[in-house]
Amino acid sequence: MASTFKPMLLFILFSINTFSPASSHQQHPLDPLTPSEFTLVRTIVKKSYPGPNTYNLTFQYIGLDEPDKPTVLSWLSNPASKPLPRRAFIITRVEKQSHEIVVDLSTRSIVSDKVHNGHGYPLFTFAEQVSATELAQTYEPFLESIKKRKLNLSDVTCSTFSIGWFGEAKSKRVLKLLCFYIEGTVNLYVRPLEGITLVVDLDEMKIVKYFDRFIVPVPKAEGTEYRASKQKPPFGPRLNGAAFVQPNGPGFKIDGHTVSWANWVFHLGFDVRAGPIISLASILDLEQQAYRQVLYRGFISELFVPYMDPSEDWYYKTFFDSGEFGFGQSAVSLKPFADCPSNAVFLDAYYAASDGTPVKTSNTFCIFERYAGDIMWRHTELGIPNEIITEVRPEVSLVVRMVATVGNYDYVLDWEFKPSGSIKFGVGLTGVLEVKGATYTHTDQVKEDIHGTLLSENTIGVYHDHFLTYHLDLDVDGKDNSFVKNNLETIRVTDGSSPRKSYWTVVSETAKTESDARINLVSKPSELVVVNPNKKTKIGNNVGYRLIPGPVTHALLSYDDYPQIRGAFTNNDVWVTPYNKSEKWAGGLFTDRSRGDDTLAVWSLRNRKIENEDIVMWYTIGFHHVPSQEDFPVMPTLSGGFELRPTNFFERNAVLKTRAISRVHLPNCTTRP
């Protein structure tokens, strides 16, 4: 889009495997880069470009160059051994070229520096986007357009939009500026100045094209305010708050970036592009008295947001919010008691600005235990004469949350860990719709396809999609896993052996290669399970984790359409690939103006072996968004998600012996309104 420990459950640990927490006295090899490390990277890289070129050098991306997975696993088995070398991966722009640089922070040296000669460009930085928007304020043709519309220049603000690729033989690193009118409101995205487009060359930092094609009424400011202080009667209902009381404090511990809670332990990282990264998630098996591996590394790899208006001023709005604008860079500071409950603990995060200096985002993450009155498990037994047995265990889970505001949309990203062994992935869409100004004031006037919904006078909410692709490197009880499709097939009863005429059964199929694991969830009902074929339960089942998908939403663009070529990783709901450290970003390393030649869909064409291998599962959750009037002027959160759930991983119900929450008696604080 546009950019501008006191534990609740106490376990005695007799043995701990390689996914257990490392010592707090050492830096973890997957810890994100620190402010001092960003500064060191900046110094080392700038020293390698002496002279006038240094002034033209910008840092588009600085992140941890994590060690190879076998190296990390070896270190975790003996964390008291020699610390692993720390390296950073950097993308810079120098003299209109993108450089891929690896810096060894331990030796303070550059390991490699190569020029990117392929298609596409790196992440936009905030600094260059701000510089681009400022160009409009002194551009004479633009000033004339504002004057022609009889608008106040001081109430005009512009925002940046990536422009994609539509078959051009050559492409420059440019973006478009679109502008909005904020007179009478701070809800700028709902008051667009249609018809005006500025094209900015980011390498030259100058306007290279300008269009003023037409004039339509600017949507009214009336009814667009969302600030509480600006609302007028009548007001909605007053909602009473609810408290989750923890008299002994939080039931989790944070040691560096390692989080321990109940029967879970995991590492929480941060990246300017991906945002939150969950690594080394393992769960305590009460019967084995050992932590068992579940997830080596998981994060959102890309977010593809194509709009469905093919007109000249809208066709290019097909955004890759992670690869172009960065989830981590777009993270906002969370508000206590609003974004997160009263029992939340907050963590800060850092990324590097375009000049390489560290930037701090306060309260980037909140971590909290959630108790919302849900039931973990229950049963009431009524079949025993003269006796009623009721057993209930309340559901308590641990949530890690971050919010990324990418222009007009706010994405609420949740990772939720349950004592049962499940990991739930939640995403909430809120914020402000991308709207189009129009002449229409009533639907009776509409005689054509307006590619959206008339939400208010002169305001169309354009149809669009959101596709979030997750990179899930599952290591189910070890790194060598297989992907199994448990197909549910209908069987007809034709031999007269039963009054029934049909039933369904499970026919299992193990994917041998990548092509076997490209899953379209509509094609046939299946349970998709990542199993460890080398580990079995006592009665012989392969241990595993299955995917519980969210609502099935498929890409509707034709496969030969340019945005879909770039976003071909959304052609399937599920992909499985062998582990490859370099295959992180589903839309490619250089996503802006990419051509779809370095994506998950392309990597998978190699059709590599994935049976009993170290594999990665990619899952895309999607939303088709047909805007409605209730989404205006600010959108109530639309939520979705999916789940990874243990399947024959434990010998029996992992939370059978979970103890109920102790009751806390509070004084009666009820007051009359």
Side-chain angles (χ1 to χ4, degrees):
M1 257 322 306
S3 174
T4 48
F5 183 48
K6 291 184 180 177
M8 180 183 64
L9 304 177
L10 180 62
F11 296 103
I12 301 174
L13 311 183
F14 291 101
S15 61
I16 299 175
N17 73 5
T18 59
F19 270 39
S20 61
S23 168
S24 61
H25 301 293
Q26 295 192 48
Q27 189 171 33
H28 195 288
L30 297 181
D31 283 352
L33 297 179
T34 64
S36 61
E37 287 175 325
F38 283 125
T39 301
L40 180 57
V41 166
R42 180 179 186 268
T43 301
I44 294 170
V45 173
K46 281 188 168 289
K47 187 180 294 185
S48 70
Y49 289 89
N53 287 351
T54 302
Y55 299 104
N56 297 321
L57 184 150
T58 59
F59 294 86
Q60 308 299 135
Y61 174 90
I62 305 180
L64 176 70
D65 183 31
E66 70 264 21
D68 288 331
K69 184 175 178 179
T71 304
V72 174
L73 295 179
S74 176
W75 181 88
L76 287 170
S77 67
N78 184 19
S81 63
K82 183 179 179 180
L84 296 179
R86 292 276 287 178
R87 290 185 171 185
F89 177 71
I90 305 103
I91 298 176
T92 64
R93 288 289 288 175
V94 185
E95 296 298 319
K96 301 182 181 181
Q97 290 183 319
S98 297
H99 288 247
E100 300 175 53
I101 303 172
V102 176
V103 167
D104 189 317
L105 297 169
S106 307
T107 62
R108 301 179 175 232
S109 61
I110 291 180
V111 176
S112 64
D113 182 347
K114 66 177 182 179
V115 175
H116 171 65
N117 292 315
H119 303 300
Y121 297 102
L123 190 78
F124 298 120
T125 67
F126 276 161
E128 63 189 352
Q129 292 180 73
V130 170
S131 296
T133 59
E134 290 174 347
L135 295 174
Q137 296 295 320
T138 57
Y139 189 66
E140 194 59 39
F142 176 71
L143 302 182
E144 287 297 320
S145 295
I146 299 303
K147 184 177 180 180
K148 181 170 61 176
R149 286 165 171 77
K150 299 180 180 180
L151 302 175
N152 297 320
L153 182 63
S154 60
D155 289 325
V156 175
T157 186
C158 301
S159 190
T160 55
F161 293 74
S162 58
I163 69 171
W165 170 74
F166 292 87
E168 305 93 332
K170 295 182 179 181
S171 62
K172 291 186 176 182
R173 189 165 184 260
V174 299
L175 49 69
K176 290 185 177 181
L177 301 182
L178 301 181
C179 302
F180 307 87
Y181 203 50
I182 60 173
E183 182 271 328
T185 184
V186 297
N187 199 344
L188 65 97
Y189 290 105
V190 301
R191 304 199 73 196
L193 305 185
E194 294 292 345
I196 298 176
T197 305
L198 303 92
V199 182
V200 176
D201 185 320
L202 291 175
D203 289 324
E204 299 286 346
M205 198 51 70
K206 67 179 182 181
I207 297 170
V208 293
K209 291 183 182 179
Y210 181 75
F211 304 95
D212 186 352
R213 295 188 178 90
F214 55 87
I215 299 177
V216 297
V218 178
K220 297 177 182 179
E222 183 182 357
T224 65
E225 265 290 356
Y226 53 78
R227 290 175 293 180
S229 62
K230 300 294 183 180
Q231 303 305 311
K232 299 178 180 179
F235 294 106
R238 181 181 295 277
L239 303 178
N240 291 333
F244 177 23
V245 180
Q246 296 181 286
N248 296 321
F252 58 91
K253 292 173 67 176
I254 302 174
D255 183 2
H257 290 269
T258 298
V259 180
S260 305
W261 173 78
N263 48 352
W264 279 102
V265 61
F266 58 90
H267 182 276
L268 173 61
F270 177 81
D271 179 79
V272 67
R273 180 167 175 169
I277 300 178
I278 301 293
S279 303
L280 306 174
S282 64
I283 189 168
L284 179 70
D285 187 315
L286 189 59
E287 294 193 11
Q288 294 187 18
Q289 288 297 305
Y291 277 98
R292 299 172 63 190
Q293 307 166 18
V294 177
L295 179 70
Y296 177 74
R297 204 149 168 85
F299 54 89
I300 296 174
S301 179
E302 192 53 83
L303 170 55
F304 179 36
V305 188
Y307 282 78
M308 298 301 138
D309 188 333
S311 66
E312 182 66 27
D313 286 67
W314 273 77
Y315 74 90
Y316 59 87
K317 294 187 177 183
T318 54
F319 309 113
F320 291 76
D321 280 351
S322 179
E324 293 173 341
F325 298 102
F327 261 162
Q329 181 176 240
S330 303
V332 296
S333 295
L334 300 174
K335 289 189 173 185
F337 311 107
D339 286 312
C340 309
S342 60
N343 61 314
V345 173
F346 294 82
L347 300 176
D348 305 332
Y350 297 85
Y351 65 92
S354 61
D355 65 355
T357 58
V359 177
K360 176 182 177 179
T361 304
S362 300
N363 293 0
T364 306
F365 296 112
C366 69
I367 303 177
F368 59 92
E369 288 160 290
R370 171 184 282 162
Y371 173 54
D374 296 328
I375 297 171
M376 178 187 291
W377 65 265
R378 80 170 321 283
H379 179 61
T380 297
E381 181 56 67
L382 301 173
I384 301 175
N386 303 317
E387 189 171 4
I388 298 176
I389 300 173
T390 298
E391 289 287 324
V392 185
R393 300 294 182 272
E395 180 79 279
V396 179
S397 59
L398 186 75
V399 177
V400 177
R401 173 172 295 166
M402 191 193 90
V403 174
T405 300
V406 191
N408 55 304
Y409 261 105
D410 294 58
Y411 294 94
V412 183
L413 309 175
D414 283 358
W415 294 69
E416 183 175 4
F417 295 83
K418 296 192 170 189
S420 63
S422 286
I423 307 174
K424 295 187 71 174
F425 305 77
V427 57
L429 280 58
T430 180
V432 180
L433 292 174
E434 186 88 8
V435 303
K436 177 180 180 178
T439 58
Y440 306 114
T441 59
H442 195 278
T443 56
D444 289 346
Q445 300 167 340
V446 179
K447 308 299 181 184
E448 59 184 345
D449 187 350
I450 59 173
H451 314 295
T453 305
L454 189 66
L455 303 174
S456 183
E457 291 185 4
N458 310 121
T459 306
I460 296 170
V462 177
Y463 306 143
H464 59 282
D465 298 321
H466 303 260
F467 295 106
L468 294 96
T469 299
Y470 285 75
H471 172 285
L472 302 166
D473 184 354
L474 284 158
D475 281 4
V476 178
D477 219 15
K479 69 180 183 64
D480 292 333
N481 290 175
S482 295
F483 181 68
V484 176
K485 295 178 282 186
N486 289 326
N487 301 313
L488 310 185
E489 298 188 359
T490 301
I491 306 297
R492 295 283 297 179
V493 179
T494 59
D495 60 1
S497 61
S498 172
R500 292 277 296 274
K501 294 184 178 181
S502 65
Y503 62 94
W504 64 261
T505 192
V506 174
V507 178
S508 297
E509 175 187 354
T510 300
K512 306 292 185 182
T513 63
E514 291 176 271
S515 62
D516 298 333
R518 298 173 193 150
I519 304 297
N520 184 314
L521 289 170
V522 169
S523 59
K524 66 167 67 174
S526 302
E527 287 214 338
L528 306 177
V529 188
V530 174
V531 304
N532 187 329
N534 312 295
K535 301 283 184 69
K536 297 182 183 294
T537 62
K538 292 177 182 178
I539 60 174
N541 290 311
N542 286 327
V543 303
Y545 261 74
R546 75 179 185 266
L547 172 70
I548 310 295
V552 177
T553 304
H554 288 147
L556 299 177
L557 297 178
S558 59
Y559 284 4
D560 63 346
D561 197 357
Y562 293 108
Q564 197 59 36
I565 292 172
R566 299 175 67 213
F569 52 88
T570 65
N571 291 345
N572 295 306
D573 301 291
V574 178
W575 309 71
V576 178
T577 63
Y579 166 80
N580 185 320
K581 176 185 169 182
S582 67
E583 296 177 359
K584 293 175 62 175
W585 311 114
L589 177 59
F590 293 88
T591 310
D592 175 47
R593 310 218 69 189
S594 60
R595 302 188 180 186
D597 53 3
D598 178 30
T599 69
L600 170 60
V602 173
W603 311 331
S604 183
L605 291 175
R606 285 175 281 180
N607 204 26
R608 295 161 290 185
K609 181 177 179 292
I610 60 170
E611 184 180 17
N612 202 12
E613 299 281 349
D614 188 358
I615 58 177
V616 176
M617 179 169 67
W618 309 73
Y619 173 69
T620 296
I621 180 173
F623 302 81
H624 293 310
H625 194 170
V626 178
S628 66
Q629 288 184 237
E630 289 82 1
D631 295 333
F632 184 85
V634 67
M635 178 181 165
T637 301
L638 174 64
S639 299
F642 64 101
E643 181 177 349
L644 294 174
R645 187 178 179 94
T647 299
N648 303 316
F649 186 84
F650 299 104
E651 293 293 335
R652 56 185 51 81
N653 181 350
V655 288
L656 177 66
K657 297 182 181 181
T658 297
R659 289 171 288 186
I661 300 174
S662 300
R663 292 183 180 181
V664 178
H665 297 281
L666 298 176
N668 187 347
C669 299
T670 303
T671 58
R672 294 183 180 274

